[in-house]
Amino acid sequence: AQSVAQPEDQVNVAEGNPLTVKCTYSVSGNPYLFWYVQYPNRGLQFLLKYITGDNLVKGSYGFEAEFNKSQTSFHLKKPSALVSDSALYFCAVRDGLKSNYQLIWGAGTKLIIKP
Amino acid sequence: NAGVTQTPKFRILKIGQSMTLQCTQDMNHNYMYWYRQDPGMGLKLIYYSVGAGITDKGEVPNGYNVSRSTTEDFPLRLELAAPSQTSVYFCASSYPPPANMNTEAFFGQGTRLTVV
C-alpha cells in the first residue's frame, strides 16, 4: 500500500544551523515526491518536487531535498536555518503506476527555529 | 493574483445542519480538489474534479457532495453535519495533475469547521 512517513513530529534547530526534515515513502511504482510548507492559518505552499532526473532537487526559500531510492527517502534540507522557516512541513507522494490523481500525505513535521 | 479563494474562513455548525464550503480559482486550472486536515494527520482527499461536469470520490467522500458546473468553482456540500466532520478543509487546484512536470497544487487558506 502507498504510504508516507514523517518520523518526527517536531524538529528544533538553532538559527544558522543546518536543518533536516525526514520523509520516507512506500509505493509500487516510481515515486513522484513533493514537499509543502504550511504557515499558521494559511494554506499549503509548494516547496519542491522530484519527478525524475537528478537526485538532489532545489526548491523555494533555499530548501533542497535528496531522493534516495535505496532508502526510499526524500529528506528536506537547508544549509542555514532562519527563524522565518518555522512552520509545518508536509511530504507527499504519488505512485507513478497509479492512474489516479491522489497524493498520499505524511502527517507533517513542525519545524521550530530558535534565535 | 487571487489564486484559490475559500469561504468562509471559520464556521460553527450544529449536528444535522447543512452548509456549503465555497471554492473558486482564477488560474483556469482544470483540476480541483477538496482535502480535510485533522490534527496530527496528513491531508485526506475528499473529492476531486478533472474538469467542469466531472467529479470523482477521493479517499474519504462519505458525508460530502460536490459539483463542478464551471471551471472556476468547486463547492463542497455537507448535508447532515456530524462531529466527525470537525476539521480544517482545504481546496486546491492544479493544471495538469499535481504529479506532472513543472506543476504543483495551489491551495486556498482553508476553512475551519466545528460541528457541535
Side-chain angles (χ1 to χ4, degrees):
Chain A
Q2 300 168 291
S3 66
V4 174
Q6 293 182 242
E8 302 152 317
D9 291 336
Q10 182 170 308
V11 171
N12 297 300
V13 178
E15 187 177 27
N17 283 0
L19 69 87
T20 299
V21 182
K22 295 179 180 177
C23 172
T24 58
Y25 65 89
S26 175
V27 297
S28 302
N30 290 326
Y32 297 158
L33 293 151
F34 298 80
W35 276 103
Y36 283 80
V37 59
Q38 185 181 26
Y39 298 102
N41 300 315
R42 301 293 299 275
L44 281 72
Q45 297 177 32
F46 169 77
L47 273 181
L48 51 79
K49 66 185 176 188
Y50 172 82
I51 305 297
T52 187
D54 289 340
N55 290 341
L56 185 63
V57 178
K58 293 187 183 297
S60 306
Y61 312 120
F63 284 92
E64 58 188 28
E66 185 166 12
F67 170 61
N68 188 317
K69 188 173 183 177
S70 63
Q71 297 185 1
T72 61
S73 67
F74 189 57
H75 300 332
L76 182 70
K77 300 180 180 183
K78 187 172 182 180
S80 178
L82 300 173
V83 172
S84 58
D85 292 330
S86 298
L88 190 57
Y89 289 81
F90 289 94
C91 181
V93 67
R94 178 187 166 209
D95 190 336
L97 276 183
K98 305 287 186 184
S99 60
N100 62 38
Y101 304 105
Q102 289 201 33
L103 285 175
I104 305 302
W105 295 82
T109 298
K110 187 174 184 179
L111 178 64
I112 298 177
I113 309 300
K114 298 183 178 179
Chain B
N1 291 334
V4 179
T5 303
Q6 287 182 239
T7 57
K9 287 186 171 54
F10 304 94
R11 184 71 185 269
I12 298 174
L13 277 183
K14 293 184 178 179
I15 295 171
Q17 285 186 321
S18 62
M19 77 164 294
T20 299
L21 281 66
Q22 301 291 346
C23 175
T24 187
Q25 53 92 8
D26 62 0
M27 296 172 283
N28 202 32
H29 287 167
N30 284 357
Y31 298 89
M32 296 188 74
Y33 316 83
W34 274 105
Y35 290 94
R36 59 178 288 171
Q37 182 183 30
D38 298 316
M41 306 285 287
L43 278 72
K44 301 289 186 184
L45 182 65
I46 304 171
Y47 270 94
Y48 67 96
S49 169
V50 301
I54 306 169
T55 63
D56 208 347
K57 295 178 180 179
E59 193 177 355
V60 290
N62 291 343
Y64 307 95
N65 279 301
V66 293
S67 60
R68 185 90 183 275
S69 57
T70 66
T71 299
E72 294 78 18
D73 301 308
F74 190 42
L76 177 72
R77 179 83 177 162
L78 283 71
E79 291 294 349
L80 291 170
S84 61
Q85 293 177 305
T86 294
S87 189
V88 180
Y89 291 84
F90 287 101
C91 179
S93 72
S94 71
Y95 180 78
N100 267 2
M101 297 293 288
N102 300 321
T103 64
E104 68 273 5
F106 293 81
F107 283 79
Q109 291 195 344
T111 296
R112 187 174 295 274
L113 176 66
T114 302
V115 182
V116 296

